[in-house]
Amino acid sequence: MKDKEKQNKVFDILDKMELFQGQRAGRELWNNKPKEVQDKDISDFIKDINYIRSYLQDSVVLSMEEYEMLVNQYKNLEIKYSDLCDNYRLCKDANETLKQNIIITRKEIAEEFYDKVNENICVFQLENKNQEFTDGYAQAIADICGRLDQIAKQFGVETKE
């Protein structure tokens, strides 16, 4: 039986008890019944009372002590949740700082790499224009230097024109 059905049955039993035990006509009508019917009514009444007892025992009824214990447990959970949120915020902030540090470090490494490659390849090529290089070699160096400038700009490096 569902909880609502059990509750309705309890109310029906209480209504029946009120009708027969609370009125003179109910008692008088019952007194005129044969003994077997009265015995059955008494047996049914005991079953009904036991049903009500069972329903009440199964119902959640808290003492003040139990209620306060649950409130304290809830407060403890609330504190733990709050601590978790604080830790999450700290982790999130640390993660953002770490991301920024990585971006800065990547940029510094990219600048250093750009400076070395640019100085040793691109500038060398420009300074030695008078030397004979095959057209394919000169073009390859120019392509490398152009691509190097593009990659450096992606990392926020200021390129040297």
Side-chain angles (χ1 to χ4, degrees):
M1 233 184 240
K2 295 180 183 173
D3 286 339
K4 190 66 175 169
E5 291 171 349
K6 289 179 182 179
Q7 185 182 34
N8 288 338
K9 182 172 179 176
V10 167
F11 288 137
D12 289 344
I13 292 169
L14 292 173
D15 289 344
K16 185 169 54 174
M17 287 172 59
E18 180 182 42
L19 177 68
F20 290 109
Q21 278 73 30
Q23 298 178 10
R24 169 178 260 157
R27 286 192 304 271
E28 289 172 356
L29 289 173
W30 188 75
N31 285 333
N32 292 333
K33 290 184 178 180
K35 183 179 181 327
E36 296 81 28
V37 173
Q38 290 180 3
D39 288 344
K40 170 118 174 54
D41 286 347
I42 291 170
S43 173
D44 289 346
F45 177 76
I46 291 170
K47 285 179 189 174
D48 288 345
I49 292 297
N50 287 334
Y51 185 86
I52 291 173
R53 275 194 192 104
S54 172
Y55 176 79
L56 292 175
Q57 286 172 344
D58 291 343
S59 297
V60 177
V61 179
L62 298 176
S63 67
M64 192 57 157
E65 184 180 300
E66 292 169 318
Y67 172 78
E68 287 173 1
M69 184 181 74
L70 287 174
V71 167
N72 287 332
Q73 286 177 347
Y74 175 76
K75 285 179 183 175
N76 289 338
L77 287 175
E78 227 175 13
I79 291 168
K80 287 178 184 177
Y81 175 76
S82 178
D83 289 346
L84 282 174
C85 289
D86 290 343
N87 289 339
Y88 170 76
R89 282 195 273 304
L90 289 173
C91 288
K92 188 176 176 187
D93 292 344
N95 189 36
E96 285 301 316
T97 302
L98 182 61
K99 281 181 185 177
Q100 291 302 317
N101 288 342
I102 289 171
I103 290 168
I104 291 167
T105 303
R106 283 177 51 186
K107 183 179 178 186
E108 290 170 353
I109 292 169
E111 285 172 344
E112 189 176 327
F113 179 78
Y114 174 79
D115 289 342
K116 297 261 187 218
V117 173
N118 188 52
E119 181 182 320
N120 291 311
I121 296 178
C122 301
V123 173
F124 175 80
Q125 169 73 17
L126 289 173
E127 290 173 352
N128 295 297
K129 278 187 178 179
N130 295 334
Q131 291 187 6
E132 277 190 34
F133 293 111
T134 62
D135 287 338
Y137 176 80
Q139 185 61 46
I141 295 294
D143 291 345
I144 289 171
C145 292
R147 184 68 181 124
L148 179 64
D149 286 346
Q150 290 174 350
I151 292 170
K153 287 176 184 175
Q154 288 176 348
F155 285 94
V157 177
E158 292 183 28
T159 58
K160 299 166 186 159
E161 300 293 328

